[in-house]
């Protein structure tokens, strides 16, 4: 069966490095025969604030406000989870998620503050795993604006290569041990 891919894109500049990662993902996954939908939150002028028309008793953790707003408004009770159906029993079982992002700081700078996995716990475990979604290892491009053009090309090539074998990857073990070992 055809794989359906939803890319939720939260960057305001299409010509950015994130824009290049998006372009490669759309091209590669389309080439694989996937049906790819891109929700470009800035282009859509997505309204991140919850209104009185939205019902969501649970607020998520940290990420860009526009992406957090999308999660608050889309991953709602009854669709993404039910209080009796969470984690491995969540309503979005059978779905995969992959967080791909860039950082301002180098990998070494993040290591000083502790493993970057600590920052991912709320998003990957607290949101995706909570809703029953399996989580793939995140794809992190550290400080693309602070490296050479050659290094940026290597980062883009690594992303493209990863996408070619994406469906063979095993999800991470979404336990505290994976994040806090």
């Amino acid at each position: 069966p055809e794989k359906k891919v939803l890319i939720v894109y939260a960057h305001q500049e299409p010509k950015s490095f994130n824009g290049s990662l998006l372009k490669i993902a759309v091209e590669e996954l389309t080439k694989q025969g996937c049906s790819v939908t891109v929700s470009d939150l800035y282009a859509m002028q997505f309204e991140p604030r919850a209104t009185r028309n939205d019902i969501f008793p649970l607020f998520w953790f940290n990420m860009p406000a526009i992406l957090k707003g999308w999660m608050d408004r889309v991953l709602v009770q009854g669709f993404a989870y039910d209080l009796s159906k969470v984690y491995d029993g969540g309503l979005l079982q059978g779905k995969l998620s992959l967080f791909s992002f860039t950082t301002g700081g180098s990998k070494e700078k993040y290591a000083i503050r502790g493993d970057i996995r600590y920052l991912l716990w709320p998003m990957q475990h607290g949101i995706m795993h909570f809703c029953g979604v399996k989580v793939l290892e995140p794809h992190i491009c550290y400080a693309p604006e602070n490296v050479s053009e050659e290094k940026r090309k290597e980062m883009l090539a690594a992303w493209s290569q990863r996408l070619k074998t994406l469906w063979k990857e095993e999800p991470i073990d979404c336990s505290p041990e994976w994040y806090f070992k």
Side-chain angles (χ1 to χ4, degrees):
E2 179 184 66
K3 287 184 170 61
K4 292 182 180 177
V5 176
L6 171 64
I7 299 175
V8 182
Y9 179 69
H11 198 283
Q12 56 277 58
E13 178 49 65
K15 294 182 183 128
S16 68
F17 193 82
N18 281 283
S20 299
L21 292 168
L22 172 67
K23 186 171 181 272
I24 285 172
V26 171
E27 286 170 4
E28 177 57 38
L29 295 168
T30 300
K31 220 185 290 176
Q32 292 177 21
C34 298
S35 164
V36 180
T37 303
V38 176
S39 286
D40 182 335
L41 301 183
Y42 282 97
M44 294 163 63
Q45 296 186 338
F46 184 81
E47 174 55 71
R49 295 168 300 171
T51 67
R52 63 190 314 167
N53 299 321
D54 300 308
I55 300 170
F56 56 97
L58 182 66
F59 288 92
W60 301 117
F61 301 80
N62 285 328
M63 61 200 67
I66 196 165
L67 185 55
K68 182 181 181 301
W70 182 86
M71 294 205 179
D72 287 345
R73 294 189 59 207
V74 173
L75 300 177
V76 295
Q77 186 171 0
F79 168 71
Y81 69 94
D82 189 299
L83 295 181
S84 63
K85 296 183 175 124
V86 295
Y87 295 108
D88 293 334
L91 299 179
L92 298 182
Q93 290 173 62
K95 309 271 186 245
L96 282 174
S97 69
L98 164 60
F99 283 90
S100 167
F101 58 94
T102 58
T103 67
S106 66
K107 190 171 189 172
E108 295 71 32
K109 283 203 172 121
Y110 275 90
I112 293 167
R113 299 181 190 115
D115 197 310
I116 198 163
R117 291 177 178 199
Y118 303 163
L119 302 177
L120 300 173
W121 169 259
M123 295 182 283
Q124 292 185 154
H125 177 77
I127 299 173
M128 291 302 163
H129 186 211
F130 184 86
C131 295
V133 177
K134 296 276 186 219
V135 179
L136 296 177
E137 187 86 36
H139 194 87
I140 308 169
C141 293
Y142 289 94
E145 72 277 11
N146 296 335
V147 298
S148 67
E149 183 62 29
E150 189 55 39
K151 183 68 178 153
R152 282 194 292 277
K153 284 181 180 164
E154 285 173 24
M155 289 176 174
L156 293 172
W159 174 236
S160 180
Q161 193 56 45
R162 179 172 182 194
L163 291 166
K164 290 179 190 336
T165 58
L166 193 64
W167 310 110
K168 295 181 179 120
E169 288 186 24
E170 283 297 314
I172 64 169
D173 166 23
C174 241
S175 66
E177 292 74 32
W178 187 86
Y179 291 95
F180 304 108
K181 62 183 171 190

